[in-house]
Amino acid sequence: MISRLINDARKIILKFGSNTLANSEGKMNTDLLSEFAEQTAALIKKGKQFIIVSSGAQVAGLSKLDKWSRKKDLHYRQALCAVGQVELMKSWRIAFEQYGLHVGQILLTREDFNDSNRTLNMRNTLFTLVDEGIIPIINENDTVSVEEIKIGDNDTLAARSAILWSADLLILFSDIDGVYDKNPKEHTDAKLIEVVRNIDDLRKSIDIGSTNNFGTGGIATKLDAAQMALSYSIPTILAHGGTARSLEILAAGEQKATAFLA
Ligand code: ADP
């Protein structure tokens, strides 16, 4: 199922959560970025197109400014993201450069999606970048996103981007294999749910636990994102992004994950 979804899709959005991009010391996992760049580049050669939605500005910021780790004040967090965004993009740029690919940065807020003029500009830019073989890397514009205008989590941002670009498939990479009947971090007997056809029913039947260190949305926003994408007939996969060569292995049908299908 998962393998067919990936093999049949031409336009794919890959979303990476902060915890997936961080290593065990809380620093950017640049090896993981390189590995994804290599896998993506191989699939582009086979005719697929990609947009990346990448969290991780805070993680990348803390990799540079460790002394800010205890500063919780909003202005410091936004300032940290301003520093970290540069580092995050540098890491992606270096990762893709090895495979002869350029990246372009797109920073968005909720307001951008509510304004038809901005939406049209975003869509045109995304299509132009992808047509020219450049990988757009989208993140929320944390510097201007105060609570009122925040999308708040990159799962929803990824779903909105998938709809905007008319993607064929959305893949949310997290630090778990998919949706479980209860939080797998707290319950060793949690069971993976491999296929979801009704997200409202799923919400009623599972326990939704807390997020991780850098996580913002948790499983709830992943379900919202999948539901949003599915309402435009875009299937969604929630998968572990931290395992070796996960994109290839998912495409080969050798890694378990959750598929959200219409
Ligand atoms: P990301 O940074 O990838 O967006 P989050 O930390 O926001 O990830 O959300 C993923 C986390 O949600 C998992 O690591 C897990 O601990 C937690 N979680 C809570 N309930 C569930 C559940 N029922 N199934 C899967 N994960 C769950």
Side-chain angles (χ1 to χ4, degrees):
M1 174 71 72
I2 301 277
S3 117
R4 190 163 54 79
L5 283 175
I6 298 176
N7 292 316
D8 287 354
R10 189 171 71 93
K11 298 164 76 178
I12 304 176
I13 299 245
L14 306 178
K15 181 264 173 178
F16 295 91
S18 301
N19 292 297
T20 309
L21 297 177
N23 61 23
S24 52
E25 290 140 38
K27 302 252 158 83
M28 282 299 291
N29 187 347
T30 48
D31 290 344
L32 184 103
L33 267 61
S34 287
E35 202 182 89
F36 266 104
E38 185 193 346
Q39 297 172 79
T40 310
L43 290 171
I44 288 173
K45 284 207 178 111
K46 292 186 183 162
K48 296 202 189 293
Q49 299 182 326
F50 289 93
I51 289 179
I52 289 179
V53 175
S54 177
S55 305
Q58 272 207 60
V59 177
L62 286 176
S63 301
K64 275 275 148 192
L65 289 175
D66 196 27
K67 60 180 183 185
W68 283 13
S69 59
R70 272 187 224 97
K71 294 198 186 287
K72 301 287 177 226
D73 172 72
L74 177 67
H75 298 307
Y76 267 100
R77 277 195 285 128
Q78 287 180 315
L80 186 64
C81 288
V83 174
Q85 183 62 30
V86 180
E87 295 304 314
L88 178 66
M89 286 308 295
K90 182 178 132 195
S91 303
W92 279 118
R93 178 175 62 73
I94 291 171
F96 276 104
E97 235 166 37
Q98 302 172 84
Y99 304 97
L101 291 166
H102 293 296
V103 298
Q105 171 184 264
I106 300 194
L107 296 177
L108 301 173
T109 63
R110 198 172 69 196
E111 286 197 326
D112 298 324
F113 287 94
N114 294 339
D115 178 310
S116 56
N117 216 5
R118 291 187 190 194
T119 310
L120 186 64
N121 287 333
M122 278 148 57
R123 201 176 143 85
N124 288 340
T125 308
L126 287 176
F127 273 95
T128 307
L129 286 168
V130 173
D131 283 349
E132 290 298 326
I134 296 166
I135 318 277
I137 303 197
I138 301 177
N139 198 1
E140 179 147 31
N141 192 348
D142 290 304
T143 314
V144 298
S145 291
V146 286
E147 231 34 73
E148 311 82 87
I149 59 161
K150 229 176 168 17
I151 296 167
D153 67 88
N154 277 354
D155 299 316
T156 313
L157 177 61
R160 285 175 193 250
S161 305
I163 294 163
L164 185 74
W165 184 47
S166 311
D168 299 319
L169 177 66
L170 169 62
I171 307 182
L172 303 173
F173 281 114
S174 187
D175 64 345
I176 29 130
D177 282 326
V179 185
Y180 287 77
D181 59 347
K182 48 194 166 188
N183 190 350
K185 297 281 171 65
E186 287 161 14
H187 303 273
T188 47
D189 63 337
K191 287 190 190 62
L192 180 69
I193 300 163
E194 293 184 50
V195 178
V196 176
R197 289 186 189 272
N198 187 321
I199 297 177
D200 285 330
D201 286 352
L202 178 79
R203 275 200 198 88
K204 287 181 212 139
S205 66
I206 63 165
D207 284 338
I208 295 181
S210 56
T211 65
N212 298 299
N213 275 348
F214 291 104
T216 44
I219 212 71
T221 59
K222 294 178 201 338
L223 300 187
D224 292 345
Q227 196 156 33
M228 204 184 274
L230 274 184
S231 69
Y232 283 79
S233 304
I234 303 170
T236 301
I237 296 170
L238 173 59
H240 205 309
T243 48
R245 311 199 70 78
S246 38
L247 186 53
E248 263 173 32
I249 290 174
L250 281 167
E254 288 162 8
Q255 181 172 316
K256 285 196 170 173
T258 300
F260 298 89
L261 305 169

